[in-house]
Amino acid sequence: MEKKNIDWSSIGFAYMPTDYRYVSNFKDGKWDEGTLSTDPNIVLNECAGVLQYSQSVFEGLKAYTTEDGHIVTFRPDLNAERIAASAARLEMPVFPKERFIDAVEQVVKANAAWVPPYGSGATLYLRPYMFGSNAVIGVKPADEYQFRILTTPVGPYFKGGAKPITIRVSDYDRAAPCGTGNIKAGLNYAMSLHAIVDAHKQGFDENMYLDPKTRTKVEETGGANFIFVTKDGKVVTPKSDSILPSITRRSLIYVAKEYLGLEAEEREVYFDEVKDFAECGLCGTAAVISPVGKINDHGKEICFPSGMEKMGPVIQKLYDTLTGIQMGRIEAPKGWIHVIE
Ligand SMILES: *Cc1c(COP(=O)(O)O)cnc(C)c1O
């Protein structure tokens, strides 16, 4: 199969329509059989549930080429489970797990020419999502839904090496206790937009959100979980019911314990103890890990000993091992690499 003529290493993270997307509709209490479509546009009623009451959930994963030339995705079963949990929380029907995986396979195969080659650093980003599609004016769940997977090629996250970023402690909250912080819903992002635009205006790359109830514990950023390393080399990640369960973070904790022999724990992390950590990173599908060099707490700076030039040594090891597993250079735990073709 001939690849598209794209300079893979120079594309950024922007939407570029590909040839096919997967579409399935839910009506009269059931999902239709689903199909691949060449139409990137959606026609919706002006009163569609998603437009009025934001009934929508999504996922994000990548298809990419491994060292031995296979097109694969990383742990798509966990994306299927997570979007099911997100949908249930917003009173949406669940798109079954086997169908989710089948849809991922279909859409990736159909767009194989858009999957960047091994070594380019680029990937084909998959965005599964679901939304209420029929007219809803009284506040209630929609009766009809559309599940869709769009794909778009994205460039290497770090061009010219991973430079540590500077983040600030946010005065805005991301997720209420007992709210929707633990599901992947567009509504969590809508309310984070003002905070991130403001952070950028003030010269910061990201917001660190604390728990809204006590403002003493670390939660996450707008779109990535935290991972810390203590001075004696233990990996620590915050535990909270209002954090989105990152697949990257869960994989890194496994890698820390099972591949690197490190101690790793998920527990409440007080902001007061952050200054004592040796390394800090943000984890998510897009970057795997972005190193954090500095945290600004209302003018007071926490500068990690790993500095502003490169990743700390433990985070670097975690990054190298997980990306090695993803790219097929290191043997993966059973079920992590889903071969598509
Ligand atoms: C998607 C997301 C993450 C990262 O999850 P991954 O499964 O690792 O991509 C972290 N935090 C939030 C709020 C997210 O929406």
Side-chain angles (χ1 to χ4, degrees):
M1 164 261 326
E2 184 116 355
K3 292 284 177 192
K4 298 284 170 182
N5 185 20
I6 293 174
D7 179 6
W8 301 106
S9 58
S10 76
I11 53 176
F13 197 92
Y15 170 69
M16 184 192 300
T18 59
D19 297 332
Y20 296 97
R21 61 280 304 131
Y22 180 89
V23 185
S24 182
N25 289 297
F26 182 90
K27 194 177 175 175
D28 300 327
K30 58 180 189 302
W31 290 102
D32 68 12
E33 67 279 15
T35 185
L36 292 169
S37 164
T38 56
D39 188 355
N41 296 306
I42 300 171
V43 177
L44 275 180
N45 181 271
E46 62 188 352
C47 206
V50 62
L51 300 179
Q52 305 310 325
Y53 304 122
S54 298
Q55 214 186 0
S56 89
V57 294
F58 69 99
E59 273 304 322
L61 68 163
K62 295 164 171 176
Y64 54 92
T65 311
T66 54
E67 188 171 36
D68 61 359
H70 288 296
I71 293 178
V72 308
T73 56
F74 183 70
R75 309 187 79 179
D77 52 316
L78 298 187
N79 297 100
E81 287 168 14
R82 194 168 63 187
I83 200 172
S86 299
R89 176 67 174 79
L90 295 193
E91 290 295 333
M92 303 166 83
V94 165
F95 194 71
K97 184 171 172 178
E98 319 73 64
R99 289 220 35 206
F100 181 97
I101 307 240
D102 174 59
V104 164
E105 288 176 356
Q106 283 191 44
V107 80
V108 171
K109 276 185 190 157
N111 291 302
W114 295 90
V115 179
Y118 175 76
S120 65
T123 58
L124 184 66
Y125 184 73
L126 273 58
R127 169 56 59 86
Y129 58 111
M130 194 202 292
F131 54 89
S133 53
N134 68 302
V136 176
I137 193 79
V139 177
K140 64 176 168 63
D143 304 306
E144 296 174 16
Y145 294 86
Q146 186 165 102
F147 171 85
R148 223 172 155 96
I149 305 181
L150 72 80
T151 69
T152 191
V154 296
Y157 194 86
F158 299 119
K159 285 184 186 147
K163 279 275 181 221
I165 58 170
T166 302
I167 66 176
R168 70 157 183 198
V169 176
S170 174
D171 287 329
Y172 296 99
D173 295 323
R174 189 190 85 89
C178 309
T180 54
N182 59 343
I183 64 164
K184 217 167 169 72
L187 59 91
N188 291 331
Y189 279 78
M191 49 168 275
S192 76
L193 296 176
H194 176 64
I196 192 66
V197 168
D198 186 60
H200 289 163
K201 265 189 212 152
Q202 313 286 332
F204 302 107
D205 298 297
E206 264 296 346
N207 285 303
M208 169 186 263
Y209 291 103
L210 302 180
D211 76 296
K213 199 166 174 180
T214 70
R215 286 274 168 92
T216 58
K217 288 175 275 186
V218 176
E219 294 255 306
E220 60 172 321
T221 65
N225 286 181
F226 278 102
I227 196 154
F228 298 101
V229 181
T230 64
K231 291 202 168 113
D232 55 0
K234 189 193 285 179
V235 178
V236 178
T237 187
K239 185 185 177 80
S240 154
D241 290 339
S242 45
I243 289 178
L244 196 279
S246 157
I247 294 165
T248 314
R249 184 250 301 162
R250 287 181 271 164
S251 304
L252 286 166
I253 295 298
Y254 184 91
V255 164
K257 287 182 185 161
E258 306 297 327
Y259 282 66
L260 303 176
L262 299 171
E263 255 185 86
E265 57 183 22
E266 186 183 355
R267 61 164 171 85
E268 289 187 331
V269 173
Y270 284 86
F271 181 68
D272 275 349
E273 53 179 317
V274 168
K275 63 180 187 324
D276 301 322
F277 289 130
E279 301 176 41
C280 172
L282 301 177
C283 42
T285 295
V288 180
I289 311 183
S290 290
V292 174
K294 208 189 277 181
I295 301 176
N296 187 301
D297 173 24
H298 303 89
K300 234 170 69 197
E301 287 190 338
I302 297 173
C303 300
F304 293 102
S306 49
M308 295 303 293
E309 284 307 311
K310 53 181 186 0
M311 288 194 188
V314 175
I315 281 184
Q316 183 76 55
K317 241 188 253 171
L318 284 166
Y319 178 85
D320 291 344
T321 310
L322 184 56
T323 52
I325 289 169
Q326 289 178 328
M327 288 300 163
R329 297 186 296 261
I330 296 173
E331 190 175 346
K334 199 165 169 290
W336 279 26
I337 304 298
H338 187 81
V339 178
I340 291 176
E341 64 177 43

